[in-house]
Amino acid sequence: MTTFNVTSEFLLDNEPFKIISGALHYFRVHPDYWEHSLYNLKAMGCNTVETYIPWNLHEPKEGEFDFSEGRDINKFITLAEELGLYVIVRPSPFICAEWEFGGLPGWLLNYPDMIYRTTDSLFLEKVAPFYHEILKRLKPQQVTEGGPILMLQVENEYGSYGNEKEYLRSLVKMIKDEGITVPLFTSDGSWDETLRAGSLVEDGILATGNFGSKAAENFSNMQAYFDEKNVEMPMMCMEFWDGWFNRYNEPIIRRSPQEFAEVLEEMVSLGSLNFYMFQGGTNFGFMNGCSSRGLKRLPQVTSYDYDALLTEWGDPTEKYKLAQAILSKYSPVSEPRVLGKTSGSGQLTKATNLFDVLDKISTPQHVMYPKTMEAFDQYYGYILYRTTVYSAKKEQRGLLMGAQDRVHIFVNQKLVKTLYQEELLTDFMLDMEIGDNQIDILVENMGRVNYGPLLQSEGQRKGIQRGFMMDIHFESDWTVYTLPLDNIEKLSNDASCDGEKAGHFYHYDVMLNEVADTFLDITEFGKGVAFLNGVNLGRYWNVGPIGYLYIPAPLLREGDNKLVIFETEKELPQTISFKDHPVYIETENQDNFKKPTAPI
Ligand code: GLA
């Protein structure tokens, strides 16, 4: 059996071993393409694949675990092993990763006193069942049991959040108690404060660094910390940021391939590394995360292309070729594979007004005052609040107390206001009929913050928190429709479309030239989410910078393919197009946006 040890260097079967790894998140790539991506990873010269394991993916509701299909982490690890790759796993309760809530499950929000990522016994009590379920599955695939898993992460950049060593120790104990015997590690910024707050070198837990440049300087910072603590540890960059992620209405962030290659040349000569990302993939469904700047929330886009070494859709890039040339001095390389692409169109077959189908896709619930979506055991998607108000005037002042994230207000089923960010912090005027008016407030959850101080904040609860005021009183007596949109197959065939009312489901028949990867062009759309054959492809928004939704071929069928789009802001065209290449949108905000040195 292979042995793997961490001394002042990594030892594989007692021989020095340089880990050349790439991050590939199984949850961002269609499972039918795992093999393709892993093959290209190996072909580039990597000997290891690294993946996070998001808690919220595997325990979407408390106590309900899912390891099926695209969540079959064991299958992903087995495929890697069959290709001769080793595996690094990061199943920490928090993963950051530009993933919804940094991997924390939304249902934690129903425990208002819980303090995440601390020794709070309530938090640790909720982590334990997840650890039990995931670690018992990973255990037989450890290198110590004959499998390919080399190492396992305890926490993710904990030094960028907290400094409670006893919390890290509690996790280590839980991990070991579940039978994990491979080396454990933490990963943090490489400067003194983060290493001091987030690592556990004093307990013999390997500390790795996260950085995208200045390899010699960053490794020497880490060495200085190890020397001070009197420990001997190998140098590893756990996240070599080769690109960066994107947010709405900001220009795409790209990194020069040549500059990246220079850093790689230096880094690989000095230590071990993990490309973050090797392939970014896609935030399918409602699983994108959200950045924050001050108290402002900046949701991330569906594409997690990351300007990485493989594109979002798995093709090698210029950076891939440059990396391969460098890595060929260290390991065998071979020709990567490329998948075919296709184009086509879609024809509108029917359009349905949200108000006409509410009862088909949701069960109304009555409350005296609005509550957040989590209170209804709903964690993603949209939620609609309805009430009737009496108005003696043609205009009324309205105010929403604590609404997240994007709000559409309808008076008598007509869209009259869209509110977002700062607009939600102030009152507004609404045109009314004299007499009774039906008020509908549709609220979109655009993804929870995955990094920084807002990780634990009131705004992580979505929908309406406190209530809606008209004139100067809170309105009571509400009907609430939860809209997680996980049941759109319930939409019937016989509905009408009224262009006056936003919030429509548009149904298209898809005609592609062949069954191959394709890109739905969203440049003429407004804002919404698309479903292909019932699968949620993710959100889109025409503020850019991304003008497409990527459709991997395994989601398509020969012949009949149905696309349903839920669009909240625009009337969609009769004919839509699918391209054989990605399309982009010039964002309004063309500030020379600088790549940050830490995630924001
Ligand atoms: C940090 C986190 C990652 C990711 C990157 C930015 O290093 O650990 O999960 O958020 O930043 O992409």
Side-chain angles (χ1 to χ4, degrees):
M1 193 154 50
T2 304
T3 62
F4 178 72
N5 293 297
V6 180
T7 61
S8 58
E9 50 193 354
F10 294 116
L11 295 176
L12 192 69
D13 287 333
N14 299 317
E15 294 291 327
F17 180 58
K18 188 182 283 295
I19 299 175
I20 304 177
S21 171
L24 171 64
H25 298 155
Y26 59 101
F27 45 94
R28 285 178 158 137
V29 173
H30 190 283
D32 289 5
Y33 281 169
W34 289 346
E35 204 265 345
H36 169 84
S37 299
L38 290 165
Y39 180 92
N40 281 351
L41 177 77
K42 173 95 176 169
M44 193 180 76
C46 284
N47 51 33
T48 304
V49 61
E50 177 275 319
T51 184
Y52 280 125
I53 299 177
W55 180 4
N56 56 11
L57 181 82
H58 294 291
E59 195 179 357
K61 296 243 164 142
E62 186 172 0
E64 290 175 22
F65 291 92
D66 189 351
F67 291 92
S68 64
E69 298 171 3
R71 295 170 164 93
D72 189 348
I73 176 67
N74 292 111
K75 185 171 172 201
F76 179 78
I77 294 171
T78 301
L79 282 172
E81 183 177 22
E82 284 168 3
L83 286 164
L85 290 163
Y86 292 101
V87 180
I88 295 173
V89 284
R90 301 206 279 168
S92 31
F94 169 79
I95 61 167
C96 194
E98 292 71 69
W99 187 251
E100 150 72 26
F101 209 176
L104 297 174
W107 50 261
L108 292 184
L109 292 157
N110 288 332
Y111 296 94
D113 295 331
M114 179 188 287
I115 310 175
Y116 315 141
R117 305 178 74 192
T118 67
T119 49
D120 177 358
S121 56
L122 188 56
F123 180 68
L124 293 176
E125 194 186 292
K126 300 301 171 193
V127 173
F130 165 61
Y131 263 12
H132 178 66
E133 289 299 323
I134 185 63
L135 298 177
K136 79 177 182 207
R137 285 174 169 81
L138 297 178
K139 183 177 177 295
Q141 292 190 297
Q142 300 178 93
V143 77
T144 43
E145 305 212 3
I149 298 176
L150 292 182
M151 308 199 281
L152 185 141
Q153 180 174 271
V154 179
E155 241 280 7
N156 192 78
E157 290 192 332
Y158 186 58
S160 308
Y161 190 75
N163 67 356
E164 201 189 341
K165 299 277 164 145
E166 278 316 307
Y167 163 59
L168 295 177
R169 290 197 177 98
S170 306
L171 294 184
V172 168
K173 179 168 183 328
M174 288 160 81
I175 292 167
K176 289 189 172 166
D177 286 351
E178 291 290 345
I180 297 301
T181 46
V182 290
L184 305 181
F185 66 94
T186 56
S187 72
D188 276 289
S190 63
W191 63 95
D192 190 85
E193 288 83 348
T194 47
L195 287 169
R196 208 169 288 277
S199 76
L200 210 51
V201 295
E202 50 276 47
D203 292 21
I205 304 294
L206 169 68
T208 62
N210 295 346
F211 46 85
S213 56
K214 300 190 184 138
E217 193 180 317
N218 282 301
F219 279 143
S220 90
N221 288 347
M222 292 171 64
Q223 190 59 56
Y225 184 69
F226 296 164
D227 290 347
E228 185 206 309
K229 292 283 174 181
N230 207 13
V231 292
E232 291 205 333
M233 290 187 169
M235 286 297 135
M236 176 156 187
C237 176
M238 189 52 74
E239 291 182 24
F240 172 11
W241 300 317
D242 45 32
W244 205 248
F245 58 89
N246 294 291
R247 297 181 292 229
Y248 292 109
N249 208 10
E250 288 177 356
I252 293 195
I253 299 166
R254 295 199 192 282
R255 179 171 188 177
S256 139
Q258 282 68 31
E259 187 260 330
F260 152 79
E262 281 162 28
V263 178
L264 172 58
E265 188 112 47
E266 183 188 30
M267 195 184 292
V268 72
S269 73
L270 296 173
S272 289
L273 61 94
N274 176 43
F275 295 104
Y276 191 95
M277 297 292 298
F278 169 66
Q279 175 184 1
T282 310
N283 296 315
F284 294 111
F286 291 123
M287 301 309 278
N288 64 278
C290 178
S291 308
S292 57
R293 190 185 293 132
L295 294 180
K296 188 168 177 158
R297 292 180 160 70
L298 303 164
Q300 296 130 14
V301 300
T302 298
S303 166
Y304 198 60
D305 181 86
Y306 213 85
D307 196 26
L309 308 184
L310 289 189
T311 58
E312 177 182 0
W313 45 98
D315 284 353
T317 60
E318 192 185 344
K319 277 186 201 159
Y320 180 100
K321 286 174 195 139
L322 291 172
Q324 188 182 52
I326 295 167
L327 297 181
S328 66
K329 291 176 228 152
Y330 297 85
S331 30
V333 299
S334 55
E335 242 339 271
R337 293 179 186 157
V338 180
L339 295 164
K341 312 281 179 295
T342 196
S343 56
S345 62
Q347 277 305 325
L348 185 69
T349 56
K350 62 177 183 273
T352 312
N353 193 286
L354 170 64
F355 295 111
D356 296 338
V357 294
L358 270 180
D359 286 315
K360 291 205 172 73
I361 54 172
S362 186
T363 308
Q365 302 182 60
H366 291 275
V367 286
M368 198 46 76
Y369 295 99
K371 294 181 188 170
T372 62
M373 71 166 52
E374 295 78 17
F376 297 97
D377 199 26
Q378 181 200 348
Y379 304 103
Y380 313 114
Y382 299 76
I383 184 165
L384 185 94
Y385 301 84
R386 172 175 290 176
T387 193
T388 302
V389 302
Y390 178 81
S391 181
K393 297 197 286 275
K394 291 291 261 182
E395 209 185 30
Q396 285 288 356
R397 188 178 300 278
L399 178 68
L400 272 164
M401 289 293 291
Q404 299 289 347
D405 292 296
R406 190 171 173 86
V407 172
H408 301 284
I409 303 181
F410 302 80
V411 177
N412 301 321
Q413 299 201 0
K414 187 164 181 265
L415 180 64
V416 294
K417 271 268 172 294
T418 296
L419 303 168
Y420 187 49
Q421 295 189 332
E422 294 82 5
E423 295 158 342
L424 284 163
L425 303 176
T426 176
D427 54 6
F428 42 83
M429 300 309 292
L430 294 176
D431 289 338
M432 310 287 283
E433 299 291 330
I434 292 176
D436 278 346
N437 292 264
Q438 181 185 323
I439 303 284
D440 285 277
I441 304 175
L442 177 67
V443 189
E444 179 188 356
N445 166 0
M446 291 178 62
R448 296 187 180 85
V449 171
N450 63 280
Y451 176 83
L454 295 190
L455 183 75
Q456 177 139 27
S457 62
E458 269 311 301
Q460 299 288 59
R461 295 191 176 83
K462 304 303 180 183
I464 302 177
Q465 296 187 2
R466 173 64 184 91
F468 173 66
M469 275 191 144
M470 192 121 233
D471 191 27
I472 53 170
H473 60 263
F474 278 109
E475 293 292 343
S476 58
D477 199 5
W478 293 82
T479 303
V480 179
Y481 293 86
T482 57
L483 297 166
L485 303 186
D486 52 5
N487 56 355
I488 53 145
E489 69 285 353
K490 292 194 175 150
L491 296 176
S492 71
N493 287 324
D494 55 358
S496 62
C497 173
D498 173 350
E500 288 272 298
K501 302 179 198 167
H504 287 86
F505 291 96
Y506 291 83
H507 298 244
Y508 292 90
D509 276 346
V510 178
M511 284 150 291
L512 295 174
N513 297 325
E514 56 182 310
V515 174
D517 284 9
T518 190
F519 301 85
L520 171 63
D521 183 339
I522 65 96
T523 52
E524 298 301 313
F525 301 3
K527 186 174 193 317
V529 54
F531 302 84
L532 182 84
N533 297 327
V535 176
N536 187 335
L537 298 174
R539 309 167 207 272
Y540 63 83
W541 195 5
N542 69 350
V543 294
I546 308 296
Y548 65 87
L549 284 175
Y550 165 59
I551 302 178
L555 293 181
L556 294 160
R557 301 185 286 239
E558 288 283 347
D560 190 29
N561 287 287
K562 303 278 186 210
L563 185 80
V564 178
I565 300 178
F566 180 59
E567 162 69 51
T568 54
E569 323 216 342
K570 231 180 153 179
E571 197 166 325
L572 294 190
Q574 284 288 322
T575 307
I576 55 173
S577 74
F578 297 86
K579 300 267 165 52
D580 59 7
H581 56 271
V583 277
Y584 299 94
I585 296 171
E586 277 270 294
T587 53
E588 273 170 30
N589 169 4
Q590 281 299 329
D591 299 351
N592 188 10
F593 186 77
K594 295 224 171 45
K595 184 180 133 2
T597 51
I600 58 170

